Amino acid sequence: MSLIDISYFVGDINIPNTDQEPVQQRVNYAIQKYEQEFLRKLLGYPLYKAFISSLQVIPPAVPEQRMVDILYGKEYTNLQGRLTQWRGLILTDNPVFNLAGEYIFKPAVYLTAGTSIGLTPGTTSFTFDGTLGRPDWRGWTPVIFRSAPMEPGVDYSWNPDTAQLNLLKPGDKFGNGDKLFVQFELRTDPIDSTDVSPKQSPIANYIYYWHRRGQFTKTTDFGEVTSTADNTINRTSNEKMASAWNEMHDWVCEFIEFMDTYTSQEPVIYPEWQWIYRWDTIRHFEFMNPIF
């Protein structure tokens, strides 16, 4: 089970020729090797073990929300009283994840009428089909909590093909400030969804660094050699590698701030994380001078 795939290596961390099988094999090998290494160093072994265990649950169980927050990120108020955000291990327009047994998980969401795009006060329906900035719930079956659990067929109707919900009780409308908490039933069918913006992950940056580092030389009977190409000028890869590493470093600092806040304010949420781990994490992922 891997959190990222080959589609994350685009833009500044582009790996060329990923449509070719030999390149795919090398990149997939790097993902299998370095993703686990990154997570263990970032989270510390106790939290890493709990995190992976939570993502491997079998239905009807779902991952713990605290682990989903690590995976997909969360807004929170830091120790200085400022609203900030941990971006998560995966930044994507369509956050879904394959669990053990090939079940597909979509994180729960909170909606507020008048604030959340597509949920308008005074209306009796909404359509969340991914257009006009609205979320895309097509193909999913929501489990909705308003002031109490809402019952499909009694409180509302739902069309998974169009992603349209209609309130059924006479006179029922979404009021200004109405809050909905929505979970989604797990799926096993394939999901064909395309991100509008490129996927990002500090895991991909870490893997890119070690993948590029491993491409510098080639092992031969005469030792390690560097290959050159005709009609090309070889440039150092140090700057690109350092840039990828330092972007990951900033992401890691976000995570440490996120964990420091919860360790101080709500330590029961992540009891596996201890202050000692922050120093190990900083040591593993310290800033890299691009001229090395």
Side-chain angles (χ1 to χ4, degrees):
M1 179 186 71
S2 297
L3 301 184
I4 71 166
D5 56 34
I6 207 166
S7 65
Y8 281 78
F9 298 98
V10 295
D12 294 336
I13 58 170
N14 175 60
I15 296 178
N17 303 318
T18 52
D19 58 332
Q20 300 178 11
E21 186 173 350
V23 177
Q24 291 177 6
Q25 291 177 350
R26 288 195 295 271
V27 175
N28 287 331
Y29 169 78
I31 291 173
Q32 293 293 324
K33 178 179 180 180
Y34 292 115
E35 179 180 282
Q36 180 184 108
E37 179 179 294
F38 174 84
L39 292 174
R40 288 174 67 120
K41 289 180 177 179
L42 177 71
L43 304 177
Y45 183 69
L47 183 56
Y48 164 79
K49 183 178 179 181
F51 176 73
I52 295 299
S53 177
S54 179
L55 297 185
Q56 291 179 328
V57 297
I58 301 295
V62 297
E64 298 173 82
Q65 185 60 45
R66 66 189 187 115
M67 299 306 183
V68 174
D69 291 341
I70 290 178
L71 181 62
Y72 289 121
K74 183 179 182 179
E75 284 189 348
Y76 67 100
T77 301
N78 65 15
L79 295 175
Q80 288 72 45
R82 295 193 297 267
L83 181 66
T84 187
Q85 181 189 37
W86 153 240
R87 285 176 287 176
L89 293 171
I90 295 175
L91 190 60
T92 171
D93 295 332
N94 296 296
V96 297
F97 183 72
N98 292 321
L99 301 174
E102 301 303 318
Y103 289 96
I104 301 173
F105 168 77
K106 182 178 179 68
V109 295
Y110 290 92
L111 302 174
T112 303
T115 301
S116 301
I117 296 176
L119 185 56
T120 305
T123 62
T124 61
S125 67
F126 61 71
T127 301
F128 285 165
D129 57 3
T131 63
L132 303 175
R134 294 173 294 198
D136 191 352
W137 293 2
R138 288 174 296 177
W140 293 93
T141 300
V143 180
I144 305 174
F145 299 82
R146 205 172 178 183
S147 56
M150 297 183 71
E151 186 176 348
V154 176
D155 297 312
Y156 67 94
S157 65
W158 172 253
N159 187 321
D161 297 321
T162 63
Q164 183 175 30
L165 178 143
N166 293 288
L167 297 176
L168 297 179
K169 290 185 175 180
D172 191 11
K173 297 180 180 180
F174 293 112
N176 189 39
D178 257 4
K179 297 185 181 299
L180 303 180
F181 173 68
V182 184
Q183 295 177 306
F184 300 90
E185 293 185 1
L186 298 178
R187 295 170 59 177
T188 56
D189 56 307
I191 295 179
D192 183 17
S193 60
T194 303
D195 287 310
V196 176
S197 59
K199 298 175 182 177
Q200 299 176 58
S201 171
I203 303 170
N205 287 55
Y206 184 80
I207 293 170
Y208 174 84
Y209 171 84
W210 287 107
H211 175 77
R212 287 299 299 268
R213 182 165 169 170
Q215 302 303 305
F216 278 164
T217 63
K218 188 178 298 183
T219 303
T220 71
D221 293 338
F222 304 99
E224 296 296 307
V225 299
T226 302
S227 60
T228 61
D230 294 337
N231 302 318
T232 62
I233 300 175
N234 286 339
R235 302 280 188 191
T236 178
S237 295
N238 288 358
E239 288 83 358
K240 291 195 70 174
M241 292 168 58
S243 177
W245 184 276
N246 290 339
E247 184 177 62
M248 174 205 65
H249 166 85
D250 290 341
W251 213 303
V252 168
C253 290
E254 278 187 19
F255 176 75
I256 292 175
E257 183 181 22
F258 176 67
M259 297 307 296
D260 282 353
T261 298
Y262 277 93
T263 299
S264 298
Q265 297 180 349
E266 300 181 73
V268 296
I269 295 182
Y270 296 107
E272 301 90 350
W273 176 268
Q274 299 178 18
W275 280 96
I276 186 65
Y277 296 135
R278 74 187 314 274
W279 307 117
D280 287 339
T281 301
I282 292 171
R283 177 173 55 84
H284 288 311
F285 302 112
E286 61 186 354
F287 179 82
M288 179 182 295
N289 189 331
I291 308 301
F292 65 94

